[in-house]
Amino acid sequence: MNWHAIAFENILEEVSSSTQGLSGDEAATRLEKNGPNELEEKKRKSPLMIFLAQFKDFMILALLFAAIISGVIGEMTDTLIILIIVLLNAIIGFVQEYRAEKAMQMLKKMAAIQATVQREGTVLKLPSADLVIGDVVLLDAGNAVPADLRILEAHSLRIDESALTGEALAVDKSSEIIETENIPLGDRLNMAYKSTLVTNGRGLAVVVATGMNTEIGKIARLLQEGEMSTPLQRRMADFGKRLSLIILGICIILFGVGLLRGEAPLDMLLLSISLAVAAIPEALPALITIALALGAKHLVQQNALIRKLPAVEALGSVSFICTDKTGTLTMNKMKVVQVQEETIADHHFPLSPLRMAMALNHDVRFSKGEEAIGDSTELALVEFVMEEKGRSAFNELSASFPRVAELPFDADRKCMSSVHAFKDRYVVFTKGAIESIARCLADQKNAEKLFSLNEEWAAKGLRVLAFAYKYIDVLPDPVSIEALEKDLVFTGLAGMIDPPRPEAKAAIGECKTAGIKPVMITGDHPATALSIAKEVGIWNGKGYCVTGAELEQMSEDDLQEKVEHISVYARVSPEQKIRIVKALQSKGHSVSMTGDGVNDAPSLRAADIGVAMGINGTDVSKEAADMILLDDNFATIVKAVREGRRIYDNIRKFVKYIMTCNGAEIWTIFLAPLAGLPIPLLPIHILWINLVTDGLPGLALANEKAEEDVMRRPPSKSDESLFAGGVAFHILWVGLLMAGVTLATQQWAVTNQLAHWQTMVFTILSLSQLGHVLAIRSDKTFLYMQGIFSNRLLIGAIAITVVLQLMIIYLPFANEIFKTQPLTRKELLICIGMSAVVFHAVEMEKWIKRNLAKRSAKISLK
Ligand code: ATP
């Protein structure tokens, strides 16, 4: 339907609606009939699909092949056991992946956008999925357009349609009818399309199409996002592939050597396959994703909503946090505390021009319950006049001076103007930052006085707004900045406080000990900014405070040289934030940047972690962000960093654990023949260690609490390998140690002709892993200091594993299946004693590390 060509009067009739909007009942009926206003997503993986996908793995196929071979050579119990192991593996994989998928779905739902709708004359916020045809929608700068709309009213309304048309420049919209029926979407100036973004002004519009019937819906299938993979995951996948080749090589050699030594070919084949399956870390990239997704779920409980998974990983390496002031560091509860009024004789208003402007020049609306809703600066002004003059006088003013035109506030211009009908003329009220108003005054003499008073107030931490006005006889066409914002008469100043958030100071302190530099970037006056920065601890007298104007003058080289030492940026426009991000990144920093406005989107995208505000942020900034603060609070960013570091640490511990275990298995099997020993383990033993002993405790490592010093050490580099900082070395030496302990026991047992040597080898290798997992729970803290029970899940997993291992050793039917024998008490004690070696050795590693750290600290003090 060509909605743009329908006459204005007929539109609402066409969609059976009215200017008041639909009734709740009617909307519910329509929603029932036409379905939600959502784009269909790529088929979500059903639980069954997730489960079946567990078997797609090449290694699993190899195992199934091994099961068949076992069957062929008549080892039916082996076949059965391998099948059970494959199934258990799939179940564990499925449970993990399903939980992660659910977590991501929940996060996605929470990040869904809201629309402002008028129903039965009342303005409400609804999830945009609930919109139906005929709904009357209010559009504001910063909103994402929630459905396809025909515009009924437009005030400087400008929309970025690049998502739909590819046109990079935003388009000016109007409500006028366009007669030509078949014109391209980009020319339909009285329409607004779903998923485009309002960059300027405001408007009123009616929904004409929803969900898959919208223009974006028609092409939605082309736009489906691909699977997102994180840098860490990509690096791991890459590494995994190379490692797999090496392990396959080892297994082939093992097979060849076995044949030369005269072992049975099929037995050797089974052993080689089992070893390959156990040692190749195929599942690591997937496990990392799961850890990140579950981490994201944890983060949302702390009010940090992750929109893009790689952000969880990037959080750990943030070295600069650039933050807004208003609302993030402060409470965003403004209150006018000081007013300075000019005496103006020739006005004809019921109140002074300053108070008239406070009462009329704003976008504050009132909800059904008469609660004022709007920008905190404007709320403060409105509340100030309402308190002084009373609510009814305020209402009367709004009614008798109707607004006929406006130039909305924008953070670059830093002011706003509204035009009101007044007798047979018009009056223009403008309010904004001092500099902006000074620019527009007819009499520049006044400006001097303005500046000195402003400095004085700002130094006390007040946000200062200046006001001005003028009369005009005719409404300019078009209503432009050039026409309205000049030749104004200054009317006065208002100063308001916005106290810092109580938790901000502690959070900033935490940043500093964590090697992260907090930086304030604000549109406010430098004196106001510095006063708050001092109060919360961002500014300590050292470093630089730079204004937007100074930034403008700085060359790129100059900025790069200073950027690490600048703590406060004041009077900056959102466009300049991107320069700051780029300069910091060029110095090798990982930057988190907050933003709430439309113009903040580019800098949020450029930052390593773009952070949007959940309460006061625009849809545009949320769409561009990696993370949304549900409480708009600076302290939440710091909490998220802490959590990000914990998650990263735990992933590293997990990788360390799994790789060491795999290494130990390979070394044991590979080195045994070199030491002249028989093959130490059967394929089933290897698979068991891999699935149960490695698997269960390994998963529980993700539950480990943060290291004691997690916020007392510098951030890790964003491109740092998981194997950096001694991890690779640990994997090597502990793997060799485990194999050494195992083989030494085997040697001893074989020499002493103990019939149970193989069960002993199997048990030592299993129990060593458990000792290892206990020791690597922390990188530096000894287990006894950490408390054994501080990770209950892990202790549970270890207990289960021990019980299962004992069952395999002592239950007759398990003996048959696993080809084990009950150990004597002495043998069991030897196994326990030998496997404790690894635990103590790793604790010793910590001791050495702590001493080395102490020594280097001493040296650096000297
Ligand atoms: P921060 O970046 O710390 O959050 P901010 O975003 O509140 O600060 P802006 O909203 O960009 O900063 O405001 C910059 C300046 O514009 C303010 O110092 C004030 O002088 C002026 N200003 C803010 N809000 C309005 C408004 N509603 N009408 C007119 N001028 C305003």
Side-chain angles (χ1 to χ4, degrees):
M1 184 128 172
N2 283 317
W3 289 100
H4 60 277
I6 296 182
F8 191 87
E9 314 74 67
N10 302 337
I11 304 165
L12 286 171
E13 204 174 304
E14 267 313 317
V15 292
S16 316
S17 184
S18 75
T19 47
Q20 296 291 301
L22 300 171
S23 70
D25 290 346
E26 176 60 25
T29 321
R30 289 186 192 190
L31 187 62
E32 179 79 14
K33 191 166 145 226
N34 296 326
N37 173 33
E38 280 172 336
L39 299 182
E40 274 166 30
E41 280 198 48
K42 186 171 56 182
K43 275 265 168 295
R44 225 177 244 144
K45 277 197 216 157
S46 68
L48 184 66
M49 294 283 288
I50 299 179
F51 184 69
L52 290 180
Q54 308 295 324
F55 296 94
K56 269 199 332 221
D57 206 87
F58 171 72
M59 284 299 128
I60 294 291
L61 294 180
L63 257 190
L64 291 176
F65 176 66
I68 294 172
I69 294 183
S70 299
V72 170
I73 55 175
E75 297 280 355
M76 274 323 271
T77 41
D78 271 13
T79 310
L80 209 65
I81 276 295
I82 295 179
L83 289 180
I84 290 175
I85 283 179
V86 168
L87 198 68
L88 277 178
N89 209 3
I91 290 174
I92 293 182
F94 164 78
V95 170
Q96 290 292 311
E97 204 175 321
Y98 186 69
R99 275 173 65 201
E101 173 93 10
K102 274 262 171 272
M104 287 315 284
Q105 273 175 28
M106 177 192 80
L107 298 184
K108 222 170 177 176
K109 233 188 210 148
M110 291 183 69
I113 62 163
Q114 299 258 320
T116 314
V117 186
Q118 180 158 307
R119 284 192 180 161
E120 291 171 287
T122 314
V123 175
L124 9 135
K125 274 202 178 284
L126 293 178
S128 87
D130 291 353
L131 287 195
V132 294
I133 292 178
D135 260 328
V136 174
V137 175
L138 281 77
L139 294 175
D140 248 319
N143 287 163
V145 176
D148 281 4
L149 313 170
R150 165 71 198 264
I151 295 166
L152 303 173
E153 224 179 85
H155 303 279
S156 312
L157 186 64
R158 210 176 298 147
I159 294 186
D160 170 359
E161 297 187 327
S162 52
L164 194 60
T165 61
E167 170 59 51
L169 280 184
V171 189
D172 283 310
K173 294 287 180 177
S174 81
S175 56
E176 268 159 48
I177 181 174
I178 299 167
E179 305 277 356
T180 339
E181 294 228 329
N182 287 320
I183 49 169
L185 288 186
D187 293 337
R188 301 185 185 181
L189 299 183
N190 56 14
M191 297 289 293
Y193 294 104
K194 185 174 172 73
S195 297
T196 59
L197 303 166
V198 182
T199 60
N200 197 61
R202 61 183 184 90
L204 194 71
V206 60
V207 177
V208 295
T210 58
M212 291 307 277
N213 295 324
T214 58
E215 293 299 328
I216 195 91
K218 290 179 195 160
I219 56 169
R221 279 180 196 90
L222 304 174
L223 292 172
Q224 304 240 317
E225 272 178 41
E227 293 277 314
M228 221 184 317
S229 68
T230 78
L232 184 62
Q233 204 184 352
R234 281 196 295 272
R235 286 206 305 269
M236 265 331 278
D238 218 38
F239 167 80
K241 268 191 209 123
R242 271 180 285 149
L243 189 68
S244 308
L245 285 181
I246 297 176
I247 293 174
L248 275 180
I250 293 179
C251 293
I252 290 170
I253 294 175
L254 190 77
F255 181 65
V257 172
L259 288 190
L260 288 180
R261 278 175 32 131
E263 306 276 353
L266 277 180
D267 282 351
M268 273 324 286
L269 186 64
L270 270 181
L271 183 73
S272 306
I273 292 178
S274 310
L275 191 61
V277 169
I280 291 179
E282 267 254 318
L284 266 190
L287 287 171
I288 289 176
T289 318
I290 290 168
L292 293 174
L294 295 178
K297 186 174 157 195
H298 216 251
L299 276 162
V300 82
Q301 288 157 4
Q302 323 225 10
N303 282 329
L305 174 60
I306 297 293
R307 285 195 68 241
K308 297 173 190 162
L309 206 48
V312 181
E313 186 183 306
L315 272 171
S317 49
V318 166
S319 54
F320 265 78
I321 300 184
C322 302
T323 170
D324 278 344
K325 170 176 69 66
T326 313
T328 320
L329 289 168
T330 66
M331 310 269 283
N332 205 21
K333 290 209 177 75
M334 306 244 185
K335 187 171 169 60
V336 176
V337 288
Q338 229 163 354
V339 170
Q340 170 82 25
E341 198 151 13
E342 288 289 288
T343 344
I344 296 171
D346 67 335
H347 72 79
H348 314 281
F349 310 132
L351 301 177
S352 68
L354 175 72
R355 279 159 167 85
M356 287 292 288
M358 286 183 174
L360 295 172
N361 178 322
H362 60 77
D363 286 323
V364 171
R365 293 195 202 99
F366 290 88
S367 72
K368 212 172 184 179
E370 291 295 283
E371 192 199 351
I373 307 168
D375 169 62
S376 60
T377 306
E378 299 192 336
L379 282 175
L381 299 170
V382 165
E383 270 154 21
F384 180 76
V385 256
M386 283 203 308
E387 229 166 70
E388 214 178 54
K389 306 290 170 200
R391 178 69 204 266
S392 57
F394 174 85
N395 285 352
E396 239 165 70
L397 268 186
S398 313
S400 45
F401 290 81
R403 183 194 286 200
V404 291
E406 68 187 77
L407 293 170
F409 173 73
D410 88 60
D412 289 328
R413 212 167 91 253
K414 298 193 174 42
C415 64
M416 80 175 267
S417 301
S418 57
V419 186
H420 303 263
F422 175 51
K423 300 192 177 148
D424 50 354
R425 290 205 290 174
Y426 301 95
V427 55
V428 181
F429 290 114
T430 304
K431 75 171 190 309
I434 295 283
E435 302 90 318
S436 310
I437 297 298
R439 248 194 337 256
C440 316
L441 294 184
D443 181 358
Q444 290 296 329
K445 259 198 307 200
N446 254 327
E448 296 289 317
K449 205 174 70 190
L450 264 181
F451 281 120
S452 67
L453 192 58
N454 174 60
E455 288 292 333
E456 196 186 300
W457 288 10
K460 290 192 279 187
L462 298 189
R463 158 172 284 207
V464 191
L465 278 199
F467 296 81
Y469 86 119
K470 72 172 174 184
Y471 298 105
I472 48 175
D473 294 325
V474 283
L475 206 55
D477 184 25
V479 177
S480 66
I481 298 175
E482 294 73 30
L484 290 190
E485 293 176 355
K486 67 165 189 199
D487 299 333
L488 301 178
V489 176
F490 172 58
T491 61
L493 296 177
M496 47 198 108
I497 49 163
D498 179 16
R501 286 177 180 269
E503 61 277 46
K505 195 166 179 174
I508 298 237
E510 197 172 359
C511 277
K512 289 187 170 169
T513 54
I516 301 168
K517 190 172 160 89
V519 175
M520 176 194 280
I521 304 185
T522 171
D524 237 332
H525 189 277
T528 318
L530 276 182
S531 162
I532 302 279
K534 227 182 270 171
E535 216 168 314
V536 295
I538 287 186
W539 176 259
N540 56 2
K542 285 188 236 135
Y544 298 102
C545 165
V546 171
T547 65
E550 287 162 355
L551 192 58
E552 197 72 49
Q553 299 298 319
M554 275 191 197
S555 70
E556 230 39 68
D557 287 346
D558 206 11
L559 177 61
Q560 277 182 22
E561 198 177 300
K562 294 210 177 87
V563 72
E564 287 172 301
H565 309 288
I566 305 176
S567 308
V568 177
Y569 296 84
R571 280 290 190 248
V572 280
S573 64
E575 276 75 15
Q576 292 179 313
K577 286 181 167 183
I578 199 164
R579 267 190 80 195
I580 303 172
V581 171
K582 292 252 160 85
L584 284 170
Q585 284 172 335
S586 76
K587 286 284 190 181
H589 288 291
S590 182
V591 185
S592 141
M593 170 68 82
T594 67
D596 47 14
V598 183
N599 311 348
D600 287 324
S603 60
L604 295 189
R605 276 199 203 99
D608 298 273
I609 300 196
V611 181
M613 303 297 144
I615 305 171
N616 283 316
T618 55
D619 297 339
V620 178
S621 59
K622 288 180 194 165
E623 294 273 296
D626 303 293
M627 180 169 99
I628 300 176
L629 301 181
L630 296 178
D631 56 0
D632 291 12
N633 188 346
F634 177 81
T636 302
I637 308 179
V638 184
K639 275 196 228 154
V641 167
R642 188 191 167 85
E643 185 65 19
R645 286 185 175 193
R646 183 187 75 94
I647 294 166
Y648 188 82
D649 276 357
N650 287 349
I651 289 178
R652 228 186 41 210
K653 287 173 194 169
F654 178 74
V655 170
K656 201 164 149 182
Y657 177 62
I658 293 289
M659 301 287 288
T660 310
C661 297
N662 291 0
E665 286 157 33
I666 293 190
W667 290 125
T668 308
I669 306 264
F670 194 69
L671 295 180
L674 298 185
L677 292 167
I679 296 172
L681 295 166
L682 294 177
I684 277 187
H685 301 155
I686 299 175
L687 294 175
W688 175 261
I689 292 177
N690 189 51
L691 175 79
V692 184
T693 333
D694 276 13
L696 289 182
L699 286 175
L701 270 180
N703 213 39
E704 200 54 54
K705 292 209 179 68
E707 293 269 345
E708 227 179 20
D709 68 343
V710 68
M711 291 303 263
R712 271 188 277 123
R713 59 172 195 233
S716 56
K717 288 259 170 280
S718 55
D719 54 356
E720 186 185 278
S721 153
L722 266 180
F723 299 99
V727 174
F729 180 63
H730 176 99
I731 291 173
L732 191 70
W733 83 259
V734 181
L736 272 170
L737 179 68
M738 267 187 213
V741 169
T742 312
L743 290 177
T745 317
Q746 184 185 2
Q747 174 86 42
W748 176 82
V750 171
T751 321
N752 287 295
Q753 295 179 335
L754 297 186
H756 303 159
W757 65 265
Q758 193 167 54
T759 307
M760 288 175 75
V761 165
F762 176 33
T763 308
I764 290 179
L765 205 51
S766 272
L767 296 186
S768 293
Q769 320 272 13
L770 301 184
H772 184 223
V773 83
L774 276 175
I776 61 160
R777 283 182 50 198
S778 166
D779 284 336
K780 296 193 197 83
T781 315
F782 300 118
L783 181 66
Y784 79 90
M785 284 159 71
Q786 207 181 5
I788 289 196
F789 294 103
S790 58
N791 181 350
R792 283 170 199 274
L793 210 61
L794 184 72
I795 293 302
I798 290 179
I800 292 176
T801 314
V802 169
V803 169
L804 288 174
Q805 187 71 28
L806 290 177
M807 280 166 63
I808 289 182
I809 302 176
Y810 291 106
L811 292 185
F813 83 92
N815 290 152
E816 210 158 298
I817 296 173
F818 285 90
K819 313 215 171 45
T820 47
Q821 300 91 21
L823 297 178
T824 63
R825 188 180 303 167
K826 184 177 148 205
E827 286 165 347
L828 184 64
L829 286 176
I830 290 174
C831 288
I832 294 174
M834 288 309 274
S835 41
V837 170
V838 172
F839 168 78
H840 286 103
V842 178
E843 291 286 281
M844 191 70 127
E845 186 193 30
K846 292 183 199 169
W847 184 79
I848 295 172
K849 269 202 226 161
R850 286 166 81 108
N851 276 321
L852 285 180
K854 257 191 223 153
R855 192 172 301 169
S856 69
K858 260 191 207 150
I859 290 171
S860 69
L861 273 181
K862 282 181 192 162

